Amino acid sequence: MDYRTYARGTEKISALGMGGEHWVGMPDGDVADIIHAAMGAGVNILDLFMPQPDVRSAIGRALKGRRSRMYIQGHLGATFQNGQYEKTRNIAQSKTAFDDLLARLDTDYIDFGMIHFVDTEAELADVFASGTMEMARTLKKSGVINRLGFSSHNPVIASKLVATGEFDLMMFSINAAWDMDSTHYEDLDAVIEFKAFTEGNVSVSGARAALYAQCANAGVGITVMKALGAGRLLHDATSPFGKAMTVGQCLRYALERPGVVSNLIGYRSVDEVNQAVQAQTESAEKSDYSALITSGRFTANGLCMYCNHCLPCPSMIDIAAVNKYLDLVPAGAPVPATVAAHYRALEHTADECVICGSCQEKCPFGVPVMRKMAEAAVLFGSR
Ligand code: SF4
Ligand code: SF4
């Protein structure tokens, strides 16, 4: 298992994590089998947004004696009212649901207290106006929550939350198809349905790319939901690329975005755990997604997807990596030391570019690669 860190934290988080979204209605024994199989493979992070009491209890029983080996994302603002899941900013309801989570898990702390599902400007304002943020701060101060985080699907809103400097972790939806939708930030259903693709309005989302870079620079870790596009990317009939992606391609795509520490996958069975573990260790060749995601019809807007479809380069430059490090340097700002160190560790750097132009011809996203290499050579200097 690959373990990742993030600058604001000290935890070593497994690059493959889990979420329990499919465990509602499942027998206790099956939930325990899935959790134990994942832990046996090295998984050490679990997202627990689901407020359904019986699932919380089943998870608590499965984690008995193993609690300290699992980082838990517990959500503030997801409740179960009259038999129904509800998002809430009612403090009494949030607090009751959070206390219920602690009791059912038989624990006195949650590793990451996540403010649940902040997707619109109104919800963002409400997080602060309702007292939800204050409640989260108080829980952190008292040691019930170790770190603060939030979950969101909207890059514009998420960016504003990261900019507050209050959060260490962000749970965000990332996959290749959603990253090519730069229009439906406030309409989650449209994103889920890949509406940009049916509307013929597909281009790399600058806001999403900028958010990942912002997190990497701020040291905020990203845990990923929807890496498989709710399963729709895995089938020819539902993938907007016209061809199914493999689990390995989806996992790799998300892990290659800046700031990402873990893919949280909602396993339905032990078999699915084993499949994901195996997919995670696939060779780079097998999990290469570049040909697939570049086969669609989209507007090239010059933003790099780090897909490496432009290779081979006669100077052996890892063009995607150079572009990624370049994107991590905010305009006009000094080069962060960690980014400079990663760049210098590359086997071949941008100053080795011989301006042959072959990458630019092959890049389907219209990235001005030669100009980027020249920029990187100036910015990072030569070794
Ligand atoms: S320059 Fe183009 S082909 Fe190369 S990694 Fe970036 S998006 Fe992919
Ligand atoms: S233009 Fe530069 S980066 Fe692109 S393929 Fe040629 S040598 Fe490599």
Side-chain angles (χ1 to χ4, degrees):
M1 181 64 67
D2 173 25
Y3 292 87
R4 294 185 162 199
T5 54
Y6 59 106
R8 285 176 63 114
T10 51
E11 302 86 356
K12 287 188 175 162
I13 296 176
S14 55
L16 192 60
M18 62 183 148
E21 66 198 79
H22 300 305
W23 300 345
V24 177
M26 204 181 258
D28 264 31
D30 291 2
V31 172
D33 286 349
I34 292 169
I35 291 177
H36 297 161
M39 290 182 84
V43 169
N44 70 359
I45 184 161
L46 165 65
D47 180 74
L48 271 182
F49 105 81
M50 72 296 297
Q52 286 82 351
D54 52 339
V55 187
R56 292 174 170 219
S57 296
I59 293 166
R61 285 190 282 275
L63 287 177
K64 200 161 183 61
R66 308 166 198 236
R67 166 70 185 92
S68 61
R69 288 164 46 202
M70 185 64 80
Y71 296 122
I72 292 180
Q73 290 187 175
H75 290 240
L76 285 163
T79 75
F80 203 62
Q81 301 290 321
N82 307 317
Q84 299 276 336
Y85 155 76
E86 245 180 50
K87 181 165 79 171
T88 182
R89 297 296 178 240
N90 177 297
I91 300 304
Q93 284 181 353
S94 289
K95 189 73 179 53
T96 302
F98 199 72
D99 288 344
D100 176 78
L101 176 64
L102 291 168
R104 288 177 189 273
L105 293 182
D106 193 18
T107 188
D108 57 2
Y109 73 99
I110 293 294
D111 302 272
F112 300 101
M114 312 294 286
I115 297 191
H116 184 64
F117 212 152
V118 193
D119 271 6
T120 63
E121 290 288 351
E123 287 166 2
L124 174 66
D126 208 21
V127 163
F128 292 90
S130 64
T132 301
M133 192 65 213
E134 197 46 49
M135 174 181 56
R137 290 184 192 120
T138 305
L139 286 166
K140 186 180 175 195
K141 219 173 186 175
S142 62
V144 177
I145 284 173
N146 285 345
R147 298 186 183 283
L148 293 187
F150 66 90
S151 61
S152 176
H153 303 82
N154 183 334
V156 178
I157 302 302
S159 172
K160 291 182 181 181
L161 284 163
V162 172
T164 64
E166 299 225 41
F167 299 99
D168 295 329
L169 200 74
M170 171 180 83
M171 185 188 186
F172 196 75
S173 44
I174 300 180
N175 61 60
W178 292 25
D179 276 357
M180 287 197 210
D181 182 345
S182 39
T183 45
H184 301 104
Y185 295 148
E186 289 219 357
D187 185 353
L188 181 56
D189 287 339
V191 181
I192 290 172
E193 293 301 322
F194 305 128
K195 213 167 169 189
F197 288 80
T198 48
E199 288 169 347
N201 190 17
V202 185
S203 59
V204 180
S205 162
R208 296 174 72 94
L211 172 66
Y212 311 151
Q214 180 187 10
C215 286
N217 281 323
V220 172
I222 305 174
T223 52
V224 176
M225 54 180 161
K226 301 287 183 286
L228 312 179
R232 294 168 65 92
L233 291 175
L234 303 179
H235 305 282
D236 290 346
T238 49
S239 165
F241 301 115
K243 191 170 179 322
M245 289 182 81
T246 65
V247 173
Q249 287 171 330
C250 292
L251 296 179
R252 179 169 166 200
Y253 176 85
L255 286 174
E256 287 187 345
R257 300 311 100 187
V260 168
V261 291
S262 186
N263 277 312
L264 305 175
I265 305 297
Y267 311 109
R268 290 183 177 84
S269 64
V270 170
D271 274 355
E272 287 191 1
V273 173
N274 295 334
Q275 272 172 31
V277 171
Q278 202 177 3
Q280 176 97 342
T281 54
E282 269 174 9
S283 66
E285 201 181 12
K286 200 166 173 204
S287 59
D288 181 12
Y289 52 81
S290 66
L292 190 59
I293 69 168
T294 55
S295 61
R297 296 170 70 88
F298 41 77
T299 307
N301 60 359
L303 294 170
C304 183
M305 288 288 274
Y306 318 132
C307 62
N308 264 333
H309 195 65
C310 47
L311 296 182
C313 158
S315 300
M316 310 284 282
I317 299 169
D318 181 341
I319 295 168
V322 171
N323 282 345
K324 192 186 288 187
Y325 298 140
L326 203 52
D327 290 345
L328 285 176
V329 182
V335 178
T338 47
V339 179
H342 283 304
Y343 175 82
R344 292 208 183 94
L346 290 171
E347 225 168 291
H348 297 275
T349 47
D351 51 319
E352 295 172 50
C353 173
V354 294
I355 324 177
C356 71
S358 83
C359 51
Q360 230 161 269
E361 278 167 27
K362 280 180 273 182
C363 174
F365 296 104
V367 177
V369 184
M370 289 187 285
R371 190 169 48 117
K372 292 273 218 180
M373 293 304 115
E375 258 177 59
V378 170
L379 197 67
F380 296 112
S382 40
R383 284 181 293 192

